[in-house]
Amino acid sequence: MKIDEVPDRRTRERVARSILVNGPSTAAVLAERLDLTAAAVRRHLDQLVADGVVEPRDQRQAGHRGRGRPAKEFALTEHGRETKFEQRYDDLAASALRFLQETVGEQGLVAFAEKRAGFIRERFVAVAAADPTLSPAQVLARVFTEEGYAASVRELPLAGGAVGEQLCQQHCPVSHVASEFPQLCEAETAAIGEVLGTHVQRLATIAHGDGVCTTCIPNPETREKVTR
């Protein structure tokens, strides 16, 4: 790498990190946030797009739209998240968990996984109370999204014509580590079942090579009928 390329690389990392922290952003917003010229930001964005780190999207606009084409906003791709911000920590996290397992044993690893999944128990009640219109699955989606999982909910047909909900996590910040330590996924699943007061089942996980983590969640009416 040429010496004069180093500042450009660092600036591109600043642009990418700003998008990570603040969400999809336009070139104009990035320029103001990072105190750069609009031309410089566009140049770095072009390179980040070429590298597959970010992708342009049509900007979502609320309310009345003005004249002209809406500005493009730029969002991190999955490749960008993995190569820029996650994998550099995966080896360290995996090494720490191996050390924990070797020195404390399986019980210590399980205890760690359960403690980490505590955010589900801690946030579920607060989020549900803040917005009573949300279904339990939608509450969980919001809790997981706040933790970086990019979660959503979709309807799931069940036996007998019943309808449940499926919690879908498009992103998992610990997927590379969880592939070696499934206790992390198991603890999350147990915590979901605990806050819902019913058994839930994970149908797929990113850690096992699936494209998305999915969890089947029966709706309260269905659970009531089953227990009668």
Side-chain angles (χ1 to χ4, degrees):
M1 178 181 295
K2 296 179 181 179
I3 294 177
D4 58 359
E5 291 178 352
V6 173
D8 279 353
R9 184 191 64 186
R10 290 174 178 170
T11 303
R12 281 195 291 274
E13 289 180 352
R14 288 181 61 211
V15 171
R17 182 165 294 278
S18 179
I19 295 172
L20 173 74
V21 172
N22 298 284
S25 307
T26 64
V29 169
L30 287 165
E32 181 177 359
R33 187 186 298 148
L34 300 174
D35 195 23
L36 297 169
T37 66
V41 168
R42 284 193 292 269
R43 177 167 60 84
H44 291 301
L45 285 171
D46 287 344
Q47 186 59 54
L48 288 169
V49 170
D51 293 340
V53 175
V54 303
E55 60 185 1
R57 299 176 180 176
D58 290 329
Q59 185 181 20
R60 294 181 179 180
Q61 300 213 0
H64 178 71
R65 291 187 177 184
R67 294 182 178 181
R69 298 174 59 184
K72 291 286 185 180
E73 61 181 10
F74 294 82
L76 282 177
T77 64
E78 191 67 20
H79 171 71
R81 289 180 182 275
E82 292 178 353
T83 58
K84 287 288 184 186
F85 305 108
E86 288 183 5
Q87 287 186 339
R88 67 182 67 179
Y89 303 112
D90 287 343
D91 289 343
L92 177 61
S95 295
L97 290 179
R98 291 188 201 107
F99 178 79
L100 179 65
Q101 191 173 39
E102 292 169 1
T103 55
V104 183
E106 180 70 13
Q107 184 177 358
L109 184 58
V110 170
F112 170 81
E114 291 175 349
K115 182 175 179 59
R116 184 190 168 275
F119 73 89
I120 301 171
R121 304 179 187 89
E122 294 167 1
R123 294 290 300 140
F124 183 84
V125 174
V127 172
D131 191 346
T133 65
L134 298 177
S135 71
Q138 290 170 333
V139 172
L140 284 167
R142 186 166 295 182
V143 169
F144 273 95
T145 296
E146 290 174 354
E147 290 292 319
Y149 286 76
S152 60
V153 174
R154 65 184 180 189
E155 288 190 350
L156 179 68
L158 301 175
V163 177
E165 291 179 303
Q166 190 174 73
L167 176 67
C168 302
Q169 296 157 228
Q170 306 292 341
H171 175 67
C172 175
V174 297
S175 60
H176 294 91
V177 179
S179 62
E180 181 177 350
F181 298 99
Q183 295 90 340
L184 297 172
C185 294
E186 293 165 2
E188 287 181 4
T189 304
I192 291 172
E194 182 179 329
V195 298
L196 295 178
T198 186
H199 173 75
V200 297
Q201 181 179 3
R202 280 248 167 109
L203 307 179
T205 63
I206 296 173
H208 289 162
D210 300 300
V212 61
C213 294
T214 56
T215 307
C216 178
I217 300 177
N219 60 38
E221 291 77 11
T222 301
R223 295 204 298 270
E224 186 177 350
K225 292 177 182 177
V226 171
T227 55
R228 284 178 179 175

